[in-house]
Amino acid sequence: MEDSWHQLTPRTGFVVRLADRVTDQSWQTLTQLYQPIIGPVAAALYSSLFWLPEREQLHRHGRLLAGLGIDLEHLYAARLRLEATGLLTTTVKTANDLTTFCYTLRAPLTPARFFNDDLLSVQLLGVLGEESYQTLLATATVVTPAADEQDITKNFLEVFHVDGHELSQLPAAVTAGRHQITAKPAEPAVDSPATDFDFHLLGEILKRSYVDAQALQPYRELLVTEHVTYGLDEPTMARYIGEATDLATNAFDPERFKRVVARHFEQQHPGQPVQSPASPTPTPAAVKSTAEQTVLQMASQMTPANFLEAIKQQTGGFVTSGEQRIIRDLVGRQLFSQGVLNMMVYHVLVDEERPTLNKALLDTIANDWSQSKVATPQQAVVKIRERQQAAKQPRSRATGSRRNATTVKETLPEWAKAPAATKAAKQPQLSDQQKQKLNARIARFKQRRSGKEDS
């Protein structure tokens, strides 16, 4: 079923369910850790769904729009962010030509599990920066007892009496309830994106260094995340892994690795290739020009971050932190290949001649291309041409409509015309004798005025 914000109307129905218990700590985690990633609108949507009275009854999306003060497009974008971070599961059903959405809310991860999740922690680091990230990490660290403190906490069996027979043969109600609970996912999951990263090549490169490639197996998902987000190739990845590995203990530090990657990306690392995709805008002709072929080739070969940097260098600009977040967000949605994403960036910066990437415009284009199933850079070029033609058509139609439109004459009511007519009637024409007297008075007035000025 096609999934886009165009499916929604203010009258489209929805119900809300809770998959987990949301505690006070959950709200703190949502605000401190999730909101920098998903944004305030998505956090407000989560809160609105949770606190909705009679949430399991059928409601209309118009209620959410009015409460949040947003339109359907921004509501859909906020919903996608909740889904991507594992806070929301969306299902839809159609009965009697009526579509109903079911929004299942999931509790945020605990801070410890959040920072152990590669996708979420890397995204948070990229948004906040290392200093703020370390501050939040410190607040989530569990305080251990001091060396001079003695633990005198009692365990369960020291306080409660339990029948050993019941433990050896659990009651049917206990086992049935346990299966019912474990049948559901315990915590929200963030899917890892598919990748073409060559781990075999990475292992071969690391063999020539002091890094133990086998010790990196638990961090495979982290490496994939960094590759997709920042476009790191295997040699660059190996170099960053070496910087994050302790020479004395040969231990790999994943948190240090995240900081190393983010720092190098922010500093515009010189090892990245700089190529020029800024060729002339593709023409609507059926036969592709050489310039267009070059753009398509560059878009297919370069990662979004490098492609954006290359365009900026050609235009004399620089990549802003906001543009980095926009690119990260587009990659994280996993809607398009890197070639399609690059053509989207090219269209906004080169065709539209915009100095920076505009998130609202990119979201609009992404929604359009997602509905049209754009999967290749060539299909993206077709959509760009259609968009350029559509931008011209409304102006020509508007001009024609104004040219052919019948002029509407507004008729004043009688009460509005009466004073003007009366005023005109009360102003008779001057005779020749009256005009001579008037001119004489004007001449005398000018003569007296001239005499005063001379004195």
Side-chain angles (χ1 to χ4, degrees), residues 282 288 292 296 343 368-369 374 376-389:
K288 296 183 178 66
E292 182 179 324
L296 291 172
M343 291 306 302
D368 181 29
W369 290 12
V374 176
T376 64
Q378 290 75 14
Q379 294 174 345
V381 171
V382 174
K383 291 299 296 181
I384 291 174
R385 291 171 177 168
E386 292 177 358
R387 178 180 172 84
Q388 292 170 339
Q389 291 297 326

Side-chain angles (χ1 to χ4, degrees), residues 264-309:
H264 278 286
F265 186 80
E266 291 173 358
Q267 295 174 351
Q268 302 291 324
H269 187 65
Q272 295 176 337
V274 178
Q275 303 183 46
S276 173
S279 302
T281 305
T283 60
V287 180
K288 296 183 178 66
S289 64
T290 304
E292 182 179 324
Q293 290 284 11
T294 302
V295 173
L296 291 172
Q297 183 180 4
M298 293 295 99
S300 301
Q301 295 176 353
M302 300 178 69
T303 63
N306 291 339
F307 190 83
L308 172 62
E309 181 186 359

Side-chain angles (χ1 to χ4, degrees), residues 1 24 68 78 85 103 114 197 245 288 348 381 386 441 446 448:
M1 184 177 183
D24 290 341
L68 296 172
T85 52
Y103 297 138
F114 182 97
F197 189 78
T245 302
K288 296 183 178 66
V348 173
V381 171
E386 292 177 358
R441 292 180 61 184
K446 289 182 177 180
R448 287 197 301 270

Side-chain angles (χ1 to χ4, degrees), residues 4 53 69 96 157 160 242 278 357 392 410 442 455:
S4 72
N96 299 326
L157 295 178
F160 299 97
L357 295 179
K392 299 176 182 178
E410 297 185 357
I442 293 174
S455 60

Side-chain angles (χ1 to χ4, degrees), residues 407-413 417:
T407 304
V408 179
K409 296 182 178 180
E410 297 185 357
T411 304
L412 291 175
K417 294 187 293 184

